[in-house]
Amino acid sequence: MKSHSLYEYDASIDVEPNSQPTTTGRASGGSLEREQYGLFVKFFRQASPYIEGHRGRSFVIAVPGEVVDRQDVLDTLLQDVALLHGLGVHLVVVVGARMQINEAIRAKGSEPQYAKGYRVTDDVAMKAAVSAAGAARMMVEARLSKAPTITMMRRHARGSSAARSQAPTVTTVSGNYVAAKRKGVVGGVDYQHTGSVRFIQADAVRHQLKNGNVVLLSNLGYSASGEPLNCDIYSVAVRAAIDLNADKLIVVAPPGGDPTLDMLPAWLPLQEAENLLLNTSRETIMDGRHASDTRAPSLDHGSDEEAFKRAEDELDFDTWYELGLPMPLLAACMVCKAGVKRAHLIDASIDGALLLELYSTDGVGSMISSDFYEGIRPATSTDVTRIYDLLQPMVEKGVLVQRTHQSLADDVSHFTVLERENQLLACASMRPLGQNNDGDMVAELGAFCVHPEYRGGGKGDTLLEYIEDRSSSLGISVLVLLTTRTADWFQQRGFHSAGVAHESTLLPESRRKAIDASRNSQLYYKYLV
């Protein structure tokens, strides 16, 4: 998962109260230096569409016990959780306690027991699970109870009762919202008090969210007979996201966790994420990591897809626990497969990762989605006629340059199309141009067109975002376009004017010479990195 230094360079700098302000650190009291005002304003303006877009949405955030165990990491994470709540996001936070449970078990003179990746929760482990879950919840509640500073309240609420109030900015609730059943005896192993999540009491949770509360869930579930059971927090988070029909699942990956997660791109389609899990499972088996375990599944290339589908359908993590696969990625795949549109994996060690992922254009984590670029694909020769027909009305209006069928056929490898039910809804070309005089790798966006009946529905934005992501993955740093009529739409999406196209040094010389100067096309550009 990538980091984004532009927005995090100041986040990790602390200044002693009596030290002199510098141009790179915070002034005492946490205020910004004058030199930082521009960066703050730029980020705030960039974040404004996301602030409005996320308001009223429901997010489930999974915080594993490894993160809870790092108090410094937990402190900054929960500050950002409180900020999300203040921005109107409905939050369910699932708090893990695996490490804390292990410590409590060892304190009793026992050792944690696992079979097939799951904890065997005997009586000692169950007492430890209850104790650790309570302590972890209390730790989270305490940090979310922190009131705003009196200095801040006086400045922005002078003369009001709010300035004298020190009530918590976030109210949390917890309860018996997780319904579970005993895992039972599996493969000859009695898991005792280990539970499998059945469902989340969605209506009760929604009621609390509607009332402005942050709902805390834990590793504890409750059976129909009234028995508390120790569950896996990824199972709880997945079930919560699905049953609540959440807009996002956000998994906070522990610092120094699975290296597979560190290598994930900024965006991963669901199908590619599933393939990554399947390939990882095959590599695990071929490595013989579980050769000594006669109960481990013997998956071959024909059966692992079936096992994966079964695990998804039943929300059963067993097979994947056995293989030691990255649970954050599996949880993301499961919720997207079940209808949750977005899942995000963020690195807990990046200060402000939650905010940067949700309120900046590029983010700092990895997003898995089932529908983000649904229907978008590279064009093929069979699309040439449909592309021609889609572009022709814009050509007749003088917005686009005339292209013959043959020229489109020659350039079809540079085209991307968006289709639904075999109907072409949008198209665009992206042609790498090489380096300009500044050494930047440049690509040209052209033939950008959305079917008239589908304009205003976000299809153009989706296609543009896809092309920008693809360009970045190819090492392109500047995306340019030549236009005479559609500048406003692109300017609203971050493009800037560079003047007359055939005179601009942003373009490589070979491209400038090929421009028809009589059209007086204007050049617009956008830096991607």
Side-chain angles (χ1 to χ4, degrees):
M1 293 181 286
K2 64 178 181 178
S3 63
H4 202 291
S5 58
L6 173 63
Y7 298 112
E8 68 178 75
Y9 81 94
D10 181 60
S12 60
I13 300 175
D14 291 319
V15 179
E16 293 296 327
N18 297 322
S19 64
Q20 293 298 315
T22 68
T23 58
T24 57
R26 290 191 182 93
S28 69
S31 61
L32 291 171
E33 290 294 335
R34 188 172 298 277
E35 291 81 359
Q36 298 170 321
Y37 289 175
L39 184 63
F40 174 79
V41 171
K42 180 179 179 181
F43 178 75
F44 210 98
R45 286 171 177 166
Q46 184 193 66
S48 59
Y50 301 102
I51 293 173
E52 184 60 32
H54 296 332
R55 183 176 289 118
R57 303 291 185 178
S58 297
F59 299 169
V60 175
I61 304 176
V63 185
E66 293 85 348
V67 176
V68 175
D69 197 52
R70 290 279 301 273
Q71 292 193 18
D72 56 336
V73 174
L74 184 66
D75 282 345
T76 56
L77 174 67
L78 292 179
Q79 287 179 32
D80 296 343
V81 167
L83 181 53
L84 284 182
H85 176 264
L87 292 172
V89 180
H90 297 163
L91 296 173
V92 175
V93 182
V94 185
V95 184
R98 176 181 285 251
M99 295 182 67
Q100 296 79 0
I101 295 172
N102 288 344
E103 292 173 4
I105 291 173
R106 293 188 177 103
K108 294 293 184 181
S110 299
E111 279 296 317
Q113 301 177 51
Y114 292 91
K116 302 288 189 178
Y118 278 94
R119 185 188 300 279
V120 176
T121 311
D122 57 17
D123 291 341
V124 172
M126 190 63 215
K127 291 180 181 178
V130 171
S131 175
R137 188 191 72 241
M138 182 183 67
M139 194 180 303
V140 171
E141 289 174 343
R143 282 159 174 78
L144 291 178
S145 297
K146 186 176 180 180
T149 63
I150 295 299
T151 301
M152 185 275 287
M153 293 300 294
R154 280 181 174 175
R155 174 171 174 79
H156 295 287
R158 191 182 303 275
S160 72
S161 60
R164 299 185 296 274
S165 171
Q166 298 186 47
T169 55
V170 179
T171 304
T172 65
V173 295
S174 57
N176 58 341
Y177 298 123
V178 181
K181 62 181 180 180
R182 280 200 176 217
K183 185 172 179 62
V185 179
V186 181
V189 178
D190 185 356
Y191 286 89
Q192 302 184 50
H193 302 290
T194 298
S196 295
V197 180
R198 294 175 55 217
F199 60 87
I200 305 297
Q201 296 191 52
D203 289 342
V205 172
R206 289 193 190 100
H207 176 74
Q208 296 296 345
L209 296 176
K210 185 178 180 180
N211 287 340
N213 300 316
V214 172
V215 176
L216 301 182
L217 304 179
S218 72
N219 55 295
L220 297 181
Y222 301 89
S223 72
S225 62
E227 177 189 16
L229 297 170
N230 180 38
C231 302
D232 170 77
I233 71 124
Y234 291 108
S235 303
V236 174
V238 166
R239 194 73 264 175
I242 293 172
D243 289 356
L244 292 170
N245 194 26
D247 296 283
K248 293 180 183 290
L249 169 68
I250 302 167
V251 180
V252 183
D258 195 299
T260 302
L261 301 179
D262 295 331
M263 296 183 292
L264 293 179
W267 172 69
L268 198 62
L270 175 59
Q271 185 61 54
E272 292 184 20
E274 290 178 334
N275 290 339
L276 177 60
L277 285 173
L278 290 170
N279 291 335
T280 305
S281 71
R282 292 166 180 160
E283 292 171 4
T284 303
I285 295 167
M286 292 175 67
D287 287 346
R289 299 176 198 171
H290 300 274
S292 61
D293 189 347
T294 58
R295 294 169 300 179
S298 178
L299 301 180
D300 56 35
H301 288 203
S303 63
D304 44 7
E305 286 88 351
E306 296 176 4
F308 189 20
K309 185 177 187 307
R310 184 172 62 253
E312 288 180 315
D313 291 343
E314 300 174 2
L315 297 183
D316 182 2
F317 285 68
D318 290 1
T319 297
W320 311 103
Y321 262 122
E322 294 176 29
L323 296 175
L325 297 184
M327 297 311 297
L329 183 57
L330 177 60
C333 288
M334 284 188 165
V335 297
C336 288
K337 196 78 171 180
V340 177
K341 292 184 177 180
R342 311 280 190 272
H344 299 258
L345 310 181
I346 62 173
D347 186 345
S349 65
I350 300 176
D351 187 13
L354 189 59
L355 300 179
L356 290 166
E357 179 67 10
L358 295 174
Y359 293 100
S360 69
T361 302
D362 298 322
V364 296
S366 296
M367 181 179 73
I368 290 84
S369 67
S370 57
D371 72 329
F372 193 57
Y373 296 138
E374 183 179 14
I376 295 182
R377 60 171 176 79
T380 67
S381 58
T382 60
D383 296 310
V384 169
T385 298
R386 294 195 298 168
I387 292 174
Y388 180 88
D389 292 340
L390 182 63
L391 297 178
Q392 197 57 31
M394 301 287 283
V395 171
E396 294 172 357
K397 293 178 180 179
V399 176
L400 298 177
V401 176
Q402 176 70 55
R403 295 170 184 255
T404 65
H405 281 82
Q406 186 57 53
S407 67
L408 288 173
D410 293 340
D411 292 342
V412 73
S413 62
H414 299 298
F415 271 83
T416 299
V417 297
L418 188 158
E419 68 175 354
R420 188 178 69 185
E421 296 177 354
N422 208 35
Q423 181 181 4
L424 198 66
L425 305 185
C427 71
S429 68
M430 187 278 290
R431 178 192 294 273
L433 300 178
Q435 286 188 335
N436 62 15
N437 291 343
D438 295 328
D440 295 320
M441 294 299 296
V442 182
E444 182 178 352
L445 178 67
F448 195 97
C449 183
V450 178
H451 192 287
E453 294 181 7
Y454 293 91
R455 291 172 190 166
K459 297 290 189 296
D461 287 297
T462 301
L463 181 58
L464 179 60
E465 289 178 21
Y466 176 88
I467 290 175
E468 289 178 357
D469 283 348
R470 182 166 177 266
S471 299
S472 294
S473 70
L474 295 174
I476 302 298
S477 55
V478 185
L479 197 61
V480 300
L481 65 94
L482 281 68
T483 184
T484 58
R485 303 271 293 277
T486 59
D488 288 351
W489 192 89
F490 289 100
Q491 284 183 302
Q492 289 178 328
R493 286 147 183 86
F495 283 80
H496 304 279
S497 173
V500 179
H502 67 271
E503 298 176 353
S504 176
T505 57
L506 271 175
L507 292 173
E509 184 177 359
S510 59
R511 180 65 183 101
R512 292 201 305 271
K513 290 180 178 179
I515 296 174
D516 180 1
S518 66
R519 281 181 58 83
N520 198 30
S521 296
Q522 301 296 297
L523 184 71
Y524 288 81
Y525 69 93
K526 181 176 184 179
Y527 281 97
L528 302 180
V529 292

